[in-house]
Amino acid sequence: MRYLTAGESHGKGLVIIIDGPPSGLKITEEEITAYVAERQKGYGRGGRQKIERDRAEIISGVRFGKTIGSPVAVVIKNRDYVNWEGMMSVCPVRGNVIELNVPRPGHADLPGGIKYGHRDFRNVLERASARETAARVVAGAIAKKILSEMGIDILGYSAAIGGIKAKDHEGLSIDAVRKRIKDTDAKYGADLRYPDLKTAGVVKNRIDEALKEGDTLGGIVRVITTKIAPGIGDYTQWDRKLDAKIAAALMSIQAVKGVEFGAGFSCAALKGSAVHDRIYYSQKERHHRLTNNAGGFEGGMTNGEPVSVMAAVKPISTVKKGMDSVDVNTRKKTRTVYERSDVCAVPAASIIAEAVVAFELAREICASVGGSEMGRIKANYRNYLKQAKSY
Ligand SMILES: Cc1cc2nc3c(=O)[nH]c(=O)nc-3n(C[C@H](O)[C@H](O)[C@H](O)COP(=O)(O)O)c2cc1C
């Protein structure tokens, strides 16, 4: 399985083609649309999300509610396009175009302009924008369905926002984290996807403060799964390592600046005996661990424990109060210009992270156990799991 996306942020819409999905997977436009809607939520997002109520339209690859094995193409129309037709028309007619000639520090504007020879940075930002991730979440919806067929659950959430870290969530089960997020969001009436009642109020205030100051915030997202069969991925070649594929997928999300599995960067300062997850054996659980500092990976393969990975999300680069930059036409020092933007996109980034990790896992499991049809893949996975347990 692989996918490609196309589409500009204020263009006609987004397109995704998912090539090589298994046949026989039950999936509906409503399910995909509901997941895509999750990405649009999040306390601290800009006005755009109120305009765009994304609807996923399946163009191909699904018949009578099931995938048929051919490429699945999905379109999400940009409702906002009606307001941008003059600026974004594909015809050789220019509307009343206001060019953006001042690159924003932290965005793709300047390197993208130099690379493609644009001085109107709209030609860069329209595609560099995280609006593109709406299409990637479609692939995530399909991947999550494949994983659930194999009894694997996955959850992405905000582990930290604006420098405030959620406490005591790392040892919890997926269901326990989900409950905490539900309670927190209900108490504060905000979609934070943040599992700590005690500090959620401070997080919300920090986002409000950043909004008032015309500034932005980042944070950390975490993705966890239930246990996965050991040996998915491979140690025998660098580009077959599944943790590396997941890291690349997470790094490809706009604004992500770092990835760590399990205890991650903190391992570097500890002794081996304090880090490595001791191996135990019991008749019921077979080979298992009591800790998960490895984040579910050893040698680029799943080790039978849950996957646990975090990604650092930098603050949004469109800062309302402006930042020093240069007008690339006049070469004069100036301040950046503000265009409607998010203040904090960490909760949304956690859904995108969940989607891309789900896709990498589903792809690898399908390839690993073999079979082009969901029933066969499911049976093969179950059989493989049985063999791994009896090892
Ligand atoms: C969910 C999400 C929403 C984002 N919204 C904005 C935004 O409104 N304004 C902005 O300047 N950057 C936003 N970003 C970040 C930029 O898209 C990103 O910084 C830019 O494309 C440059 O890529 P890089 O940060 O990966 O280097 C968002 C990122 C994510 C994940």
Side-chain angles (χ1 to χ4, degrees):
M1 260 201 303
R2 57 184 179 159
Y3 64 79
L4 275 181
T5 72
E8 275 84 37
S9 181
H10 298 95
K12 287 188 183 175
L14 299 158
V15 185
I16 181 164
I17 296 181
I18 303 152
D19 184 38
S23 67
L25 180 77
K26 281 189 193 158
I27 193 87
T28 62
E29 286 182 340
E30 289 68 34
E31 282 171 307
I32 299 175
T33 298
Y35 193 43
V36 167
E38 286 296 304
R39 191 206 69 100
Q40 293 195 281
K41 293 183 189 166
Y43 195 69
R45 303 222 55 198
R48 175 82 191 266
Q49 307 313 320
K50 290 186 190 96
I51 300 168
E52 297 292 358
R53 234 164 257 123
D54 287 337
R55 207 186 142 263
E57 190 186 342
I58 301 174
I59 301 295
S60 73
V62 177
R63 189 160 184 239
F64 307 134
K66 281 183 181 177
T67 55
I68 54 174
S70 47
V72 173
V74 173
V75 168
I76 299 172
K77 289 194 180 124
N78 287 333
R79 292 191 182 203
D80 206 11
Y81 180 65
V82 288
N83 304 314
W84 286 80
E85 234 177 313
M87 295 275 276
M88 292 300 297
S89 172
V90 296
C91 304
V93 184
R94 285 171 67 92
N96 187 16
V97 175
I98 304 155
E99 288 203 359
L100 296 172
N101 306 119
V102 182
R104 290 159 299 170
H107 219 291
D109 303 349
L110 186 58
I114 294 169
K115 180 179 171 72
Y116 285 103
H118 298 309
R119 281 176 187 275
D120 179 0
F121 295 117
R122 178 148 314 281
N123 288 325
V124 176
L125 71 91
E126 282 289 333
R127 180 63 186 157
S129 157
R131 174 84 186 127
E132 179 266 342
T133 59
R136 279 199 264 175
V137 166
V138 171
I142 290 177
K144 274 182 53 137
K145 267 283 179 74
I146 296 173
L147 292 179
S148 81
E149 289 283 323
M150 286 179 272
I152 299 167
D153 195 5
I154 183 163
L155 176 70
Y157 63 94
S158 321
I161 296 178
I164 317 277
K165 280 188 175 174
K167 293 197 180 69
D168 307 325
H169 59 95
E170 295 192 6
L172 298 177
S173 68
I174 284 202
D175 285 341
V177 177
R178 250 192 210 117
K179 170 148 195 329
R180 279 210 191 175
I181 289 170
K182 206 170 154 215
D183 292 348
T184 309
D185 285 359
K187 176 160 179 198
Y188 291 97
D191 292 306
L192 293 170
R193 292 185 71 83
Y194 180 82
D196 184 7
L197 262 179
K198 281 194 196 131
T199 54
V202 188
V203 167
K204 195 177 171 200
N205 289 341
R206 200 155 277 195
I207 296 173
D208 293 340
E209 262 167 44
L211 177 67
K212 258 190 241 143
E213 290 164 4
D215 220 322
T216 61
L217 294 176
I220 297 171
V221 297
R222 181 165 187 249
V223 180
I224 52 173
T225 68
T226 46
K227 286 191 176 196
I228 295 179
I232 307 292
D234 208 321
Y235 64 94
T236 59
Q237 199 61 263
W238 68 273
D239 58 352
R240 295 202 180 122
K241 294 178 188 237
L242 180 55
D243 52 356
K245 291 178 187 176
I246 289 175
L250 286 168
M251 280 301 302
S252 77
I253 298 173
Q254 289 82 341
V256 167
K257 286 308 247 184
V259 174
E260 67 173 23
F261 286 86
F265 278 72
S266 67
C267 289
L270 300 171
K271 290 189 174 147
S273 57
V275 169
H276 303 303
D277 306 308
R278 289 165 171 73
I279 300 169
Y280 300 96
Y281 186 86
S282 74
Q283 208 43 40
K284 189 173 162 235
E285 290 191 76
R286 306 293 173 139
H287 294 103
H288 66 280
R289 325 288 174 108
L290 298 178
T291 54
N292 192 13
N293 290 331
F297 280 98
E298 285 166 320
M301 299 165 292
T302 50
N303 66 357
E305 297 302 311
V307 168
S308 159
V309 59
M310 296 214 265
V313 181
K314 75 185 184 188
I316 299 289
S317 39
T318 306
V319 175
K320 194 171 188 181
K321 64 183 178 186
M323 288 188 71
D324 286 350
S325 186
V326 172
D327 184 311
V328 294
N329 286 337
T330 64
R331 312 277 190 215
K332 289 209 173 103
K333 183 179 166 183
T334 182
R335 301 283 284 175
T336 51
V337 186
Y338 179 73
E339 187 171 286
R340 191 183 56 198
S341 192
D342 298 328
V343 171
C344 171
V346 177
S350 77
I351 289 284
I352 303 160
E354 176 186 284
V356 301
V357 174
F359 190 83
E360 293 307 315
L361 287 171
R363 164 164 56 190
E364 199 72 27
I365 294 172
C366 289
S368 194
V369 300
S372 309
E373 184 263 320
M374 211 46 238
R376 204 178 310 136
I377 292 171
K378 209 166 134 180
N380 289 355
Y381 180 73
R382 232 185 274 135
N383 192 26
Y384 175 69
L385 201 55
K386 218 163 115 193
Q387 282 178 34
K389 284 223 160 194
S390 64
Y391 171 82

